[in-house]
Amino acid sequence: MSWAKTFLIASHEFFTRIKSPVFYILILNPFVGYMLIGLLFGLMFAGASENLELPVGLMDHSGLLSMLPSKEKGDENFLIYSSMEEAQAALRDRRVRALVEIPPDYLESGQIIIWVYGSSSWPTTVLVFNQTESFLRKTIVQNRLDSRTARRVIEPIDGLRIIIADQVGELGDLDLQGGIFGRARAQVQQIVRFLIQTGARYIILVSLFLSNISISITYSYQDISRDRANRMGELMLSTVSATEWFAGKILGVVLIMLTQTLIQMTLVLAIWGVISWQLLGDLTLLSPREVGLVLVYYVLSMLFYVSASMLAIVVHPKVTPVLLGILQLLNLINAAVVVAPSSRIAIFMSFFPLTAPGTMLVRVLLKAAPWRDVVISLGVLGVCSMLAILAGSAVASRVLIPGMPAFSISRPRQRR
Amino acid sequence: MRETVLRAEGLRKWFGRTQVVEDLSLEVKRGEIVGLLGPNGSGKTTSLRMMLGLIPPDAGRVTLLGQPPQRARDRTGYLPEERGLYKDERALDVLVYVGRLRGMSRTEARRRALEWMARLELEDHTRSKVEKLSHGMQQRLQFIASVLHDPELLILDEPFQGLDPIHTLLLLQILGELRDQGAAIVLSTHQLDLAEQLCDRVAMLFQGRVVVEGTLEEIRQKFAGRVVRVIAESLPPDLPGVQEIRSFGREKKLILEEQADPDSILRALLERGARVDLWERHALSLYEVFYLVASRA
């Protein structure tokens, strides 16, 4: 096998792609997607803001509010009730838009209960949650209560660690009195802060990587189809071996996708860095070790998926769409690993050739991939990629040379 | 003694239950043009593909320049019947790419491509996209892609297809020059008059088998006396020894059966009282040989 010819084919594919406007459209595609998702969130919050002028009911079973001087209890956003029946009646009659119930064990559990009505319950809950949090901080923390109470108040809901102690003062200044736009800005700031601190950049990178692997499958299909449509198969296969041609095509797609991903990652991390710098005062990016491991995995993932999709394309033109659809599906279901990256299912998917690349990519990003799993899955991927390349080379001529049957079984029979 | 460039021995190929090529053997020497002739579906293209190693034969063996075909890729040129170049790329770029795949440096490939484009009157289209070129221009471009690297063996599948008479003559001249420079050339074509002008030897395929093979002279000799030009009044249709009568106005051509004696037929004709103005043994063209072979097969 001549590597010089393989690299020549790969570079030809690379430069053909990079000259195409589609390449740049696909680079920006995820960012447009994120913007649309952001817009959707905005619209949902706007829908939840219909009754924003109504106050929120507050029923305190913990005695927390009774610790305050009476003048500090007032807030036009909240109506404090003394009985649960009265509070629920107010919610039923839509005199309040939600009811926040502070249970007796709030200081221990950190849990509050939010009662809401209507189809926009989730955004309403988020808004109410944030308002409650701010109210508690503003009215309790700033009154310099004991440290145990203050610590609890700044972490009002179990599992959602939104703020850290040294930012209490800053958060206490959130303008909840500034009308709808002031409130919306405050909400957005809180959500972005939440995303940064809970590591949502990993989720964004996972979605970026998985969508790029899907794009690489499409690229593979386009590359083979281009040679087939231009009837280049015979000329190419009289010039280079099927293995050189196949490997060159795969390498070309991998190179272009890596370039695309590198540009996208730079953009993501730059935007993310600016936002996190603006909001948190520091840069929360990936560590060099994470970047290195992710890069190695991403290259191998791409290599495997592109090889497998090329194989799917050259096996038989009629079944190509079905096989590519299955590959796309298997790639996208890897996103589910985000939910439980160390579960048994995730470990099984890490060693199953058709899901191993995507699953391990997600697990590595989420720091849930022990070295043993990395080594085993890399071995599986390496072997399967080689097999896919060899199998693809063996059947390539059947698809690329016009007039050749896709599958033929030679039998020694006479023509007539 | 000239070196054998291509040697094919006992090639056979089946597609499913159909035998496409049956026991094909062929030898091509340096400085020789061999024509592979035959009707559609006779197995010419499949034979050429096996010779190049594009598809493996089910039986038989091919060597190019003493090596398996896969090892001689950079020393062979191929013009496929199914023409194809990247249509959205510029003509010169495509040629340079193909040249580099054949082992040339970028500079050398570019220099040779420009020379050949000038020779085939495409010098004004170096920057044109392939899809903007006419069918004939694309055909010439494809031919350049096959000869750019000075191959020792050139395999051309229907090289004259789509060319106008001027460029057909130009291609004939170029192929003659390549032969004189020592290239071995195998070509398949339907245009038998061109094959007659160009080929040193021909092999006629019919339904996967070689039915006639040899130099043009050998073939003509073999079929000499099989066709008679006749101008005669009231030619009876059932003359013994006559396989077919083909009419060209007043003149007729009698195609005789394989062992028939023209003199006996003339005697029989005269005995039946026919008036014969012309009776002449006809030197066969390749078309007529081809027709005879096909009808016999």
Side-chain angles (χ1 to χ4, degrees), chain A residues 84-368:
Chain A
M84 196 61 190
E85 290 73 24
E86 193 187 346
Q88 286 175 340
L91 183 64
R92 263 198 308 275
D93 300 342
R94 307 292 169 94
R95 281 179 276 128
V96 292
R97 62 190 155 100
L99 173 61
V100 174
E101 187 182 357
I102 302 177
D105 62 346
Y106 168 68
L107 285 180
E108 287 74 36
S109 69
Q111 290 176 336
I112 61 169
I113 301 163
I114 298 174
W115 301 65
V116 288
Y117 265 126
S119 58
S120 58
S121 56
W122 181 74
T124 302
T125 306
V126 173
L127 285 172
V128 169
F129 162 78
N130 287 324
Q131 278 189 312
T132 306
E133 187 183 59
S134 298
F135 169 74
L136 292 176
R137 266 181 233 122
K138 190 174 176 183
T139 56
I140 298 174
V141 180
Q142 286 183 345
N143 277 287
R144 302 169 193 275
L145 296 183
D146 67 280
S147 62
R148 176 172 166 265
T149 310
R151 186 173 297 281
R152 169 52 62 216
V153 168
I154 60 173
E155 296 175 357
I157 295 178
D158 186 23
L160 286 174
R161 292 169 184 274
I162 292 187
I163 42 172
I164 49 177
D166 60 0
Q167 289 167 335
V168 170
E170 180 194 337
L171 283 171
D173 293 337
L174 284 177
D175 180 16
L176 292 174
Q177 313 297 325
I180 290 175
F181 291 110
R183 293 174 195 194
R185 190 169 59 244
Q187 302 305 338
V188 168
Q189 278 186 331
Q190 286 224 16
I191 289 166
V192 172
R193 190 187 305 278
F194 168 79
L195 291 174
I196 290 172
Q197 290 188 334
T198 52
R201 63 187 179 280
Y202 295 120
I203 310 296
I204 290 175
L205 288 176
V206 164
S207 71
L208 193 66
F209 287 150
L210 294 185
S211 69
N212 278 355
I213 288 172
S214 283
I215 291 171
S216 73
I217 293 173
T218 309
Y219 272 173
S220 309
Y221 181 64
Q222 286 175 345
D223 274 357
I224 305 276
S225 303
R226 183 168 179 253
D227 275 23
R228 202 189 284 165
N230 286 312
R231 299 179 172 191
M232 285 296 289
E234 260 190 295
L235 182 63
M236 291 298 288
L237 294 179
S238 69
T239 311
V240 298
S241 72
T243 311
E244 287 160 354
W245 174 84
F246 205 66
K249 289 279 174 190
I250 290 169
L251 203 57
V253 175
V254 170
L255 283 176
I256 198 75
M257 288 312 300
L258 285 179
T259 308
Q260 181 168 316
T261 308
L262 199 65
I263 296 171
Q264 287 172 332
M265 270 185 77
T266 308
L267 284 172
V268 165
L269 295 179
I271 294 168
W272 202 260
V274 168
I275 292 173
S276 63
W277 181 264
Q278 287 291 317
L279 283 178
L280 303 181
D282 66 354
L283 291 170
T284 50
L285 304 176
L286 296 173
S287 73
R289 181 179 165 278
E290 285 169 338
V291 171
L293 201 51
V294 164
L295 200 61
V296 168
Y297 237 99
Y298 187 56
V299 171
L300 280 165
S301 305
M302 196 65 80
L303 185 67
F304 175 74
Y305 271 108
V306 172
S307 312
S309 51
M310 291 250 181
L311 176 61
I313 292 161
V314 298
V315 162
H316 196 299
K318 285 183 183 170
V319 295
T320 295
V322 178
L323 293 175
L324 289 184
I326 292 170
L327 269 180
Q328 300 264 23
L329 184 68
L330 287 171
N331 170 48
L332 292 177
I333 62 169
N334 289 315
V337 174
V338 170
V339 176
S342 298
S343 63
R344 283 185 183 177
I345 294 175
I347 293 169
F348 170 76
M349 287 167 70
S350 304
F351 304 146
F352 179 61
L354 291 173
T355 50
T359 297
M360 284 305 289
L361 194 61
V362 174
R363 292 183 70 198
V364 166
L365 270 173
L366 298 179
K367 300 176 183 176

Side-chain angles (χ1 to χ4, degrees), chain A residues 226-227 231 234 413 416, chain B residues 14 17 78 82 86 207:
Chain A
R226 183 168 179 253
D227 275 23
R231 299 179 172 191
E234 260 190 295
R413 291 195 183 183
R416 285 165 299 162
Chain B
W14 286 268
R17 291 166 180 266
Y78 177 46
E82 295 278 353
Y86 290 119
Q207 295 190 329

Side-chain angles (χ1 to χ4, degrees), chain B residues 162-295:
Chain B
L163 289 183
D164 60 41
I166 293 170
H167 291 106
T168 300
L169 284 175
L170 181 60
L171 188 58
L172 279 173
Q173 188 187 338
I174 289 171
L175 290 176
E177 288 170 11
L178 291 173
R179 171 183 48 195
D180 296 343
Q181 289 162 15
I185 300 171
V186 182
L187 61 89
S188 82
T189 180
H190 285 115
Q191 288 159 282
L192 302 182
D193 52 333
L194 297 176
E196 207 162 5
Q197 287 182 52
L198 194 64
C199 296
D200 301 304
R201 287 191 300 123
V202 296
M204 281 193 182
L205 269 75
F206 193 77
Q207 295 190 329
R209 283 182 294 127
V210 176
V211 285
V212 178
E213 188 187 354
T215 63
L216 290 174
E217 205 46 51
E218 285 168 351
I219 290 172
R220 284 206 184 96
Q221 202 63 43
K222 188 174 177 183
F223 289 88
R226 290 285 309 276
V227 177
V228 177
R229 283 176 66 209
V230 182
I231 298 176
E233 303 254 328
S234 59
L235 197 63
D238 57 344
L239 274 173
V242 175
Q243 184 180 308
E244 188 183 338
I245 300 172
R246 294 165 76 186
S247 183
F248 299 89
R250 202 166 156 245
E251 183 182 314
K252 309 269 188 299
K253 278 187 183 169
L254 304 186
I255 296 166
L256 309 187
E257 289 171 356
E258 209 162 341
Q259 301 300 325
D261 173 22
D263 295 342
S264 308
I265 296 169
L266 177 60
R267 268 198 302 277
L269 192 61
L270 293 170
E271 279 166 12
R272 289 194 189 186
R275 203 187 97 195
V276 178
D277 294 334
L278 174 72
W279 182 269
E280 180 185 85
R281 291 189 185 194
H282 179 57
L284 290 184
S285 67
L286 266 182
Y287 274 111
E288 286 158 330
V289 172
F290 186 82
Y291 181 80
L292 279 176
V293 168
S295 55

Side-chain angles (χ1 to χ4, degrees), chain A residues 5 8 12 226-227 230-232 234 237-239 241 401-402 404 409-411 413-416, chain B residues 14 17 19 41 49 54-55 58 73-74 78 82 84-89 101-102 207 209:
Chain A
K5 288 187 177 183
L8 188 59
H12 181 257
R226 183 168 179 253
D227 275 23
N230 286 312
R231 299 179 172 191
M232 285 296 289
E234 260 190 295
L237 294 179
S238 69
T239 311
S241 72
I401 298 178
M404 288 285 291
I409 302 164
S410 298
R411 293 179 188 173
R413 291 195 183 183
Q414 295 299 313
R415 187 176 187 131
R416 285 165 299 162
Chain B
W14 286 268
R17 291 166 180 266
Q19 185 167 16
R49 286 172 176 171
L54 289 180
I55 52 174
D58 292 325
R73 281 196 189 98
D74 289 350
Y78 177 46
E82 295 278 353
L85 291 170
Y86 290 119
K87 297 207 181 324
D88 54 350
E89 293 184 18
L101 283 175
R102 299 277 192 189
Q207 295 190 329
R209 283 182 294 127

